[in-house]
Amino acid sequence: MNGILDFIAGLGRAVLDIVRMAGRVALFAAVALSHVVRPPFYWRTLWGTLVEIGYFSLPVVALTALFSGGVIALQSYTGFAQYHAQNAIAGIVILAVTRELGPVLAGLMVAGRVGAAMSAEIGTMRVTDQIDALSTLSTNPIKYLVTPRLVAGTLALPFLVLVADILGVLGGFTVCVMKLDFSASAYITATIASLKVMDVTVGLVKAAIFGFLIALMGCYHGYHSRGGAEGVGAATTAAVVAASILLLTFDYLLTDVFFSQ
Amino acid sequence: MTDTIPKIRIRGLKKAFGPKVVLDGVDLDVMGGTSFVVIGGSGTGKSVLLRCILGLITPDAGSIEIDGVDVTTLSPRQREPYMARIGMLFQNGALFDSLSVWENVTFGLIAAARAGHGPRITRAQARERAGALLEQVGMDPAVGALSPSELSGGMQKRVGLARAIAARPEILFFDEPTTGLDPIMGAVIDGLIVDCVRRLGSTAIAITHDMASAQRIGDQVGMLYEGRMIWQGSPSTLFDSGNPVVDQFTHGRREGPIKVDVRS
């Protein structure tokens, strides 16, 4: 009996911890967002973060999208060839890339690359008193460090996903035409016929939300890191794990909202 | 020295972190234009005291008055004008890695202008001002182009000092200004601190456990022990205070009323 009670108590504590954490993150995000419309604005930080996320993440996102599009085409062919349904492959590739693979894979890549970097940078600033120094120099640390990163994450990821969509389709096209001897013109025609503005738009909306969540997790965990190098390392890990889980959770919820009939 | 109202008056300041009581009713008066040095062992709450005055930590109880106004009762926005009058030299310099030295030095000036607390300043003017400030702390203005990571510990402290005095603050705080420096560089930093405080006519509070530094910087010295200010006196009496706790600490004796837990 005691074992059951202990289990329920432990479960309750865990739920309370999660709720408490969600409340803290929501408050942190609300404070940061409230600075979006209140001057002063830190354009240089915003621009620097936009370049860091949008430009320097391009190679990793591009390669991921290119190969994923190719893999989808190859796997689809293996299955569809049995039923002589190869003509559907172009439609499958563009649907998978624009709706799911583009936003999710780009999001996961950016979470690993940029979310970790944000958390490590802000965490290091925390443990070396640089955040306290900001406060003593007439600067609100959340306004200076967090708000521009949240805005940059929200704006940059849709751009990356647009690139990922194009390269993902290109990957599928390359595999189908170069390896599987599809007709290039037929593949392009089928792709255009299957392309839906709604799919691309929802993919970009997902990307904006994912970008916001990745930046939020990076900033939140970095801002609250404690205890020197070990604390910064723990914050960085937590930021990437939390961003990845949130990203996949929101992916399901958004898919349910936009596509379930 | 002529003021009758202390520039900084602290009464009954308390702060605990969970079960650990760090400040247990600190009382302190610092008169305008004077330097007060707080000494005490590691973990006795010296940094917490400074952070409470700066508003970086919210005290559990007590008052902190600056020019007669209790700043603990003010909202963050109401505190901003008071914060703009304070300069702080952090223990490790706390220079911003992502900015050059000159941008670090004039960060507060540019931020104050942005926030409407200070005069407008262009980046060219800021760079020129940074050069002058670096010269005031004995550095070549050309250092302004470097990154903080290219500087030695002593140079980083000097840049931190230049940043702290850039806005000509009425109040200056120094957190362990000589920690990690060799004795000569420590004396150089102390000399610069004394020069800057005198030139600006600022009120200063420094925290340290370097007795030589305390004697060089302070007009008054106080010892924080078990959360309270247990002794205050002139730096000349530091090694002969008549208080057994202070005497054990200043002479670095192992035996005495201070029990050091070597396991922690």
Side-chain angles (χ1 to χ4, degrees):
Chain A
M1 188 63 184
N2 280 346
I4 296 170
L5 287 176
D6 286 347
F7 173 74
I8 293 170
L11 200 64
R13 268 195 297 273
V15 170
L16 283 177
D17 284 346
I18 291 169
V19 170
R20 204 175 291 129
M21 170 83 162
R24 278 199 292 260
V25 171
L27 198 60
F28 183 79
V31 171
L33 288 177
S34 75
H35 288 292
V36 171
V37 292
R38 284 189 284 156
F41 303 111
Y42 296 101
W43 299 110
R44 289 184 72 208
T45 313
L46 176 62
W47 176 246
T49 317
L50 270 173
V51 170
E52 179 60 37
I53 302 175
Y55 181 71
F56 289 110
S57 299
L58 266 176
V60 66
V61 169
L63 280 173
T64 307
L66 197 65
F67 284 110
S68 299
V71 166
I72 287 289
L74 214 50
Q75 293 283 26
S76 304
Y77 181 80
T78 311
F80 286 18
Q82 297 172 36
Y83 307 103
H84 306 290
Q86 295 96 321
N87 291 344
I89 292 176
I92 293 291
V93 168
I94 194 156
L95 185 110
V97 166
T98 53
R99 281 192 181 187
E100 289 302 324
L101 291 181
V104 171
L105 290 180
L108 290 174
M109 291 297 120
V110 171
R113 208 188 82 81
V114 179
M118 277 184 191
S119 183
E121 184 183 359
I122 296 177
T124 303
M125 290 185 75
R126 166 62 72 196
V127 300
T128 56
D129 290 336
Q130 292 178 51
I131 291 182
D132 285 345
L134 282 173
S135 298
T136 67
L137 292 165
S138 303
T139 302
N140 183 315
I142 289 185
K143 185 188 235 351
Y144 180 73
L145 294 173
V146 179
T147 305
R149 283 169 170 81
L150 293 187
V151 173
T154 309
L155 294 178
L157 209 61
F159 161 72
L160 284 172
V161 167
L162 207 55
V163 173
D165 286 351
I166 294 165
L167 289 174
V169 171
L170 183 66
F173 172 83
T174 307
V175 167
C176 287
V177 172
M178 307 293 284
K179 188 175 170 63
L180 304 175
D181 293 330
F182 278 40
S183 152
S185 60
Y187 189 94
I188 291 169
T189 306
T191 298
I192 292 169
S194 305
L195 179 63
K196 287 182 184 155
V197 176
M198 175 70 172
D199 291 348
V200 178
T201 308
V202 171
L204 296 182
V205 170
K206 277 185 180 180
I209 293 170
F210 294 168
F212 175 80
L213 291 172
I214 292 163
L216 178 62
M217 288 299 103
C219 293
Y220 177 82
H221 287 284
Y223 198 83
H224 293 95
S225 62
R226 291 280 183 277
E230 192 182 350
V232 175
T236 304
T237 306
V240 175
V241 171
S244 303
I245 292 171
L246 273 178
L247 195 149
L248 294 171
T249 308
F250 271 76
D251 183 46
Y252 173 78
L253 294 174
L254 292 168
T255 303
D256 191 43
V257 167
F258 287 112
F259 295 114
S260 67
Q261 298 299 319
Chain B
M1 285 295 213
T2 55
D3 296 341
T4 50
I5 300 175
K7 186 79 176 171
I8 300 168
R9 165 175 280 175
I10 297 171
R11 288 291 177 270
L13 195 69
K14 293 186 179 185
K15 182 68 191 175
F17 296 98
K20 183 171 172 54
V21 177
V22 179
L23 302 177
D24 190 19
V26 172
D27 295 331
L28 176 66
D29 286 338
V30 184
M31 304 306 288
T34 65
S35 297
F36 191 96
V37 177
V38 181
I39 60 170
S42 301
T44 52
K46 304 187 299 295
S47 292
V48 173
L49 174 64
L50 271 197
R51 280 169 160 71
C52 283
I53 304 172
L54 282 164
L56 300 174
I57 293 175
T58 307
D60 297 333
S63 63
I64 300 167
E65 292 178 13
I66 295 177
D67 288 331
V69 176
D70 185 359
V71 292
T72 61
T73 61
L74 302 179
S75 68
R77 184 156 285 189
Q78 288 171 319
R79 278 185 83 107
E80 281 178 10
Y82 289 91
M83 295 296 290
R85 292 156 61 186
I86 299 175
M88 169 89 180
L89 172 61
F90 285 85
Q91 186 174 343
N92 54 13
L95 302 179
F96 306 125
D97 307 320
S98 56
L99 303 179
S100 64
V101 166
W102 78 263
E103 286 172 313
N104 267 279
V105 171
T106 54
F107 189 95
L109 296 177
I110 294 170
R114 272 200 180 124
H117 299 145
R120 285 174 64 88
I121 184 167
T122 63
R123 282 180 68 80
Q125 289 169 331
R127 186 159 195 166
E128 198 176 317
R129 179 102 175 89
L133 286 160
L134 288 170
E135 278 186 326
Q136 281 184 37
V137 295
M139 295 178 84
D140 186 339
V143 170
L146 300 178
S147 160
S149 60
E150 296 175 82
L151 306 180
S152 67
M155 290 171 87
Q156 289 191 13
K157 283 269 168 72
R158 290 199 214 190
V159 174
L161 181 58
R163 184 174 71 180
I165 63 170
R168 307 184 66 80
E170 294 172 26
I171 299 168
L172 276 163
F173 292 145
F174 304 102
D175 186 355
E176 309 273 10
T178 57
T179 295
L181 302 179
D182 65 68
I184 295 172
M185 185 51 72
V188 168
I189 295 292
D190 286 341
L192 286 169
I193 287 172
V194 171
D195 284 349
C196 291
V197 170
R198 284 195 186 139
R199 195 180 324 120
L200 297 173
S202 305
T203 306
I205 298 182
I207 60 175
T208 185
H209 40 217
D210 177 348
M211 294 307 114
S213 179
Q215 288 190 307
R216 284 191 289 256
I217 296 174
D219 296 314
Q220 282 280 302
V221 182
M223 176 150 175
L224 201 57
Y225 179 66
E226 293 185 338
R228 289 171 177 272
M229 198 65 75
I230 58 160
W231 174 85
Q232 291 185 37
S234 131
S236 59
T237 61
L238 194 56
F239 288 95
D240 188 21
S241 67
N243 183 311
V245 173
V246 179
D247 287 346
Q248 182 193 352
F249 183 75
T250 54
H251 289 95
R253 295 190 196 114
R254 292 174 63 187
E255 302 301 323
I258 303 173
K259 301 297 176 201
V260 180
D261 186 356
V262 292
R263 291 168 302 174
S264 61

